[in-house]
Amino acid sequence: MSTTALPAPAPAPPRVETPFRRFVSEFCESKVALGALVVFTLIALAAIFAPWISPQDPYDLGVLDIMDGRLEPGSVGATGITHWLGTDDQGRDMLSGIIYGLRISLIVGAGSAIIACLVGASLGLLAAYAGGRTDGAIMRLVDLQLSFPAILAALMILAFLGKGVLNVVIALVIVEWAYYARTVRGTALVERRREYIEAAQCLALPTHRILFRHLLPNCLPPLIVVGTMQVARAIALEATLSFLGLGVPITEPSLGLLIANGYEYMLSGKYWISFYPGIALLITIVSINLVGDQLRDVLNPRLKK
């Protein structure tokens, strides 16, 4: 009795290596950067869902335990809330204050970075494409901006505008846009000599279309890297400004304010008021910088060490 062999299964089609898959694969080669991305994602989720996951609203005066819950290193308050990281001099839960403070840090950092990127990238593209006096005027303005220390310029601006989240964002945009402009201009000067730009000019396309539809996409890799680094820098600057008393008002949660509030109690042994917010700020900035370093290596392999 003869048996008929079954036909061999058809081979699986080869997996298509798309640019996105290649980017993810190269990014995940660094376990440190992948871990930093996970940490930052958890921080961002905690900040977004702060009203639902924090033990209390630290700025709701109705839930504060001012009489018996002040300066406790870790206890159960009169309201039944467990203060895992202790309380500050106003009886506010430190864990809740840190979670809410992260919201301000991320809003200020991301908001100022996005606006500064839009302003700086537009001016950088215009300078590289127009050249001549336009390029000279914009770059002299960039040089003037970069000649001032960022913290000093931000302090001067806030001394004029006053406290507030919006004013802090405006101050950080003013001190950050020049980095984006210089980065985009350097890349755009190379790209504007490519054949596709010459072809677009021969077709008499509008200038704004050439800038933002043809030139800008090819400037995105270095712009993404700079933007990531500037988010971390903006978070650090906001914390510094709030620590010095010129950032967000005392009615807004801020890591810088929490650190400043506990500074006078450090010598008396009540370290947790400043220590835990400082650790949260450090972890946030380091995680963003590690992600930015890996993005730099992936998007520009020539910079790999």
Side-chain angles (χ1 to χ4, degrees):
M1 182 176 181
S2 61
T3 58
T4 304
L6 296 176
R15 184 178 180 181
V16 180
E17 185 72 9
T18 63
F20 177 75
R21 287 179 177 176
R22 189 183 311 112
F23 169 80
V24 173
S25 176
E26 293 180 359
F27 184 88
C28 293
E29 289 178 359
S30 173
K31 303 303 180 184
V32 174
L34 187 60
L37 180 61
V38 172
V39 170
F40 177 72
T41 302
L42 294 176
I43 290 174
L45 290 176
I48 293 172
F49 297 103
W52 295 276
I53 67 174
S54 60
Q56 68 174 200
D57 183 352
Y59 292 86
D60 183 2
L61 299 180
V63 299
L64 298 184
D65 189 8
I66 299 178
M67 298 300 296
D68 300 322
R70 296 175 64 250
L71 304 174
E72 292 291 337
S75 62
V76 179
T79 58
I81 297 176
T82 301
H83 305 295
W84 298 103
L85 302 183
T87 59
D88 63 3
D89 58 339
Q90 300 296 322
R92 291 177 292 212
D93 179 60
M94 290 301 304
L95 178 59
S96 301
I98 291 172
I99 295 176
Y100 273 81
L102 287 171
R103 301 184 79 186
I104 296 296
S105 297
L106 294 181
I107 288 173
V108 171
S112 62
I114 291 173
I115 299 174
C117 180
L118 293 175
V119 175
S122 300
L123 292 176
L125 287 174
L126 180 61
Y129 186 78
R133 293 182 178 179
T134 302
D135 183 23
I138 293 176
M139 294 315 297
R140 296 298 75 75
L141 189 59
V142 168
D143 293 338
L144 179 63
Q145 174 63 53
L146 295 179
S147 65
F148 282 93
I151 185 64
L152 178 60
L155 285 172
M156 293 172 60
I157 295 169
L158 287 176
F160 175 75
L161 296 178
K163 297 181 180 180
V165 175
L166 180 59
N167 291 340
V168 173
V169 171
I170 293 174
L172 294 181
V173 168
I174 294 175
V175 302
E176 284 184 342
W177 71 270
Y179 295 95
Y180 297 96
R182 187 172 61 177
T183 300
V184 171
R185 176 184 176 271
T187 306
L189 283 175
V190 177
E191 293 295 329
R192 71 185 293 268
R193 297 183 177 90
R194 306 283 187 183
E195 290 79 5
Y196 69 92
I197 296 296
E198 296 179 358
Q201 292 172 339
C202 291
L203 293 174
L205 296 180
T207 302
H208 69 274
R209 184 174 180 181
I210 296 176
L211 291 178
F212 296 104
R213 191 166 182 178
H214 297 279
L215 195 56
L216 179 60
N218 293 282
C219 300
L220 285 180
L223 195 60
I224 293 173
V225 175
V226 172
T228 305
M229 299 297 185
Q230 289 302 309
V231 169
R233 186 168 181 265
I235 291 175
L237 282 175
E238 181 276 325
T240 304
L241 293 171
S242 297
F243 180 85
L244 295 175
L246 288 176
V248 298
I250 59 174
T251 56
E252 296 285 345
S254 170
L255 295 180
L257 277 177
L258 292 176
I259 297 173
N261 290 340
Y263 184 74
E264 60 180 300
Y265 297 102
M266 292 287 288
L267 296 179
S268 61
K270 298 175 176 57
Y271 64 91
W272 59 87
I273 305 176
S274 293
F275 179 75
Y276 292 128
I279 292 297
L281 180 64
L282 177 64
I283 292 174
T284 303
I285 294 175
V286 170
S287 63
I288 296 175
N289 283 331
L290 290 175
V291 172
D293 287 340
Q294 183 65 7
L295 287 175
R296 178 200 60 192
D297 293 340
V298 171
L299 295 175
N300 193 347
R302 290 177 295 180
L303 295 178
K304 286 185 177 181
K305 298 180 180 179

